Amino acid sequence: MSEDRPVLGIMLMLGFCLVAPLSDATAKLLGQPELGQPVFQVVLLRFTMQALFLVPLAYLLRRPFAMSRRVSFFVFLRTVTHVAGVGLMFASLRFLPLAETIAIAFVMPFILLLLGWRFMGEEVGWRRLSACAVGFVGTLLVIQPSFAQVGWPALLPVLVAFSFAFFMLVTRRIAKETDPIAMQGVSGVMAIALLLPLAGLGAALDLPGLSFAAIPDSAIWLYLVLGMLGSFGHLLMTWSLRYAPSATLAPMQYLEIPAATMIGWVVFSDLPNGLASVGIAITCGAGLYVILRERAIARQTVTAPQAAGGGPGAAI
């Protein structure tokens, strides 16, 4: 186990908050009319790059690939939810600005809280449920102007949030039983095994959703960048959790929204309108409240035994 080094953990999480929207921006560029790369093709090549980068890296670092049948099953479930989340995110970016897409997808912490309560028996009090309700209101304010412009595709980031909430739940179950680099490499191989048959089916039946397009020279570099950012961005977050508690790092993740706003403005000249900005602020505020509430409950759990006479300070 690594020693806690909070400053290093925070720096790694800040790196993730910059890399993640850069990865999404790269996917959005690939979908621009001048390049015209289909979503399915972008997703397949993104996970192909992940496997090509991380499987050799895991071998070079002598990371263990061996997994029990139980862990392999959960890694497969994790891969399915990861592929679904990435595909839905890339599809969302065809219709919505970068900052608004990520802001809507940040309803995930509230979904994760409710799923933990429903499926894992985690206790959720009225304060956190109220924060979830406020967060959903903020999300609706972000969705409303987008829905007026593009219709139902404005709801795609909500599906992204559900996919990544399940992804996080599954990851929680196996985080201490697998090596991050090896798991991500194996997950890339599994994703290819899932997507290639769909590619063959799309080619045989000429299905538009599973179509492929020629790759111009300028897109090749974007695919390489997407593969590197997508692969190593997730590793930055995983490594950050080795050096700092999740309660310390969770508030930092909301910095992804201003980072996405800045990148969206620089690359695409997109800025959220007034109503969406209010919604983003409400969503961030509710999310931060949930995180602070979790930290307060965790402190109470630790100090309660000490107050009862069972803690290390009782003899002082």
Side-chain angles (χ1 to χ4, degrees):
M1 295 295 292
S2 303
E3 284 183 21
D4 272 1
R5 298 169 63 185
V7 174
L8 177 58
I10 288 170
M11 295 302 293
L12 289 167
M13 180 57 75
L14 288 174
F16 167 78
C17 290
L18 178 61
V19 168
L22 281 172
S23 174
D24 293 332
T26 305
K28 187 175 178 68
L29 285 171
L30 285 165
Q32 297 295 292
E34 54 269 23
L35 294 179
Q37 300 297 288
V39 171
F40 180 79
Q41 179 172 309
V42 175
V43 174
L44 175 57
L45 290 178
R46 179 250 183 266
F47 281 98
T48 299
M49 295 291 179
Q50 176 175 314
L52 290 175
F53 288 142
L54 296 184
V55 170
L57 181 62
Y59 270 115
L60 288 172
L61 298 177
R62 299 182 180 179
R63 300 300 172 88
F65 285 96
M67 299 178 187
S68 67
R69 184 175 298 179
R70 171 186 166 277
V71 171
S72 297
F73 172 72
F74 279 114
V75 171
F76 176 77
L77 284 181
R78 181 180 180 275
T79 300
V80 171
T81 56
H82 196 188
V83 170
V86 168
L88 289 165
M89 175 61 83
F90 290 175
S92 303
L93 292 168
R94 302 295 168 101
F95 301 97
L96 302 173
L98 179 64
E100 292 176 23
T101 302
I102 291 178
I104 296 170
F106 256 92
V107 75
M108 186 198 74
F110 313 126
I111 295 172
L112 193 59
L113 189 71
L114 296 175
L115 289 176
W117 167 60
R118 177 65 181 83
F119 294 108
M120 300 182 72
E122 296 177 353
E123 187 175 347
V124 178
W126 68 268
R127 292 183 181 87
R128 284 180 286 177
L129 287 174
S130 299
C132 286
V134 172
F136 276 116
V137 170
T139 303
L140 290 174
L141 290 176
V142 183
I143 290 174
Q144 191 277 331
S146 300
F147 192 85
Q149 291 179 359
V150 302
W152 69 265
L155 301 177
L156 285 173
V158 178
L159 298 179
V160 174
F162 273 99
S163 297
F164 279 111
F166 281 107
F167 171 82
M168 293 293 290
L169 281 177
V170 174
T171 301
R172 241 189 231 178
R173 297 288 297 271
I174 58 174
K176 295 183 179 180
E177 302 176 56
T178 58
D179 176 79
I181 297 177
M183 179 175 64
Q184 283 292 96
V186 169
S187 186
V189 173
M190 287 182 173
I192 295 169
L194 283 170
L195 294 172
L196 279 180
L198 292 177
L201 183 66
L205 301 180
D206 197 23
L207 299 176
L210 303 176
S211 62
F212 283 82
I215 302 176
D217 292 342
S218 56
I220 293 174
W221 291 105
L222 288 174
Y223 274 119
L224 289 172
V225 170
L226 178 65
M228 288 188 289
L229 293 175
S231 300
F232 293 104
H234 188 84
L235 288 177
L236 281 173
M237 182 172 65
T238 304
W239 282 328
S240 72
L241 291 167
R242 290 189 169 211
Y243 296 105
S246 58
T248 300
L249 298 173
M252 309 301 298
Q253 288 183 262
Y254 276 91
L255 293 175
E256 189 177 339
I257 295 178
T261 303
M262 181 62 67
I263 293 168
W265 176 56
V266 171
V267 179
F268 304 105
S269 300
D270 288 332
L271 281 175
N273 65 19
L275 188 60
S277 298
V278 171
I280 289 171
I282 291 174
T283 300
C284 289
L288 290 171
Y289 174 81
V290 168
I291 292 164
L292 293 173
R293 183 66 186 164
E294 295 288 343
R295 294 176 71 176
I297 290 173
R299 283 197 298 268
Q300 291 172 8
T301 303
V302 171
T303 58
Q306 297 179 9
I316 298 176

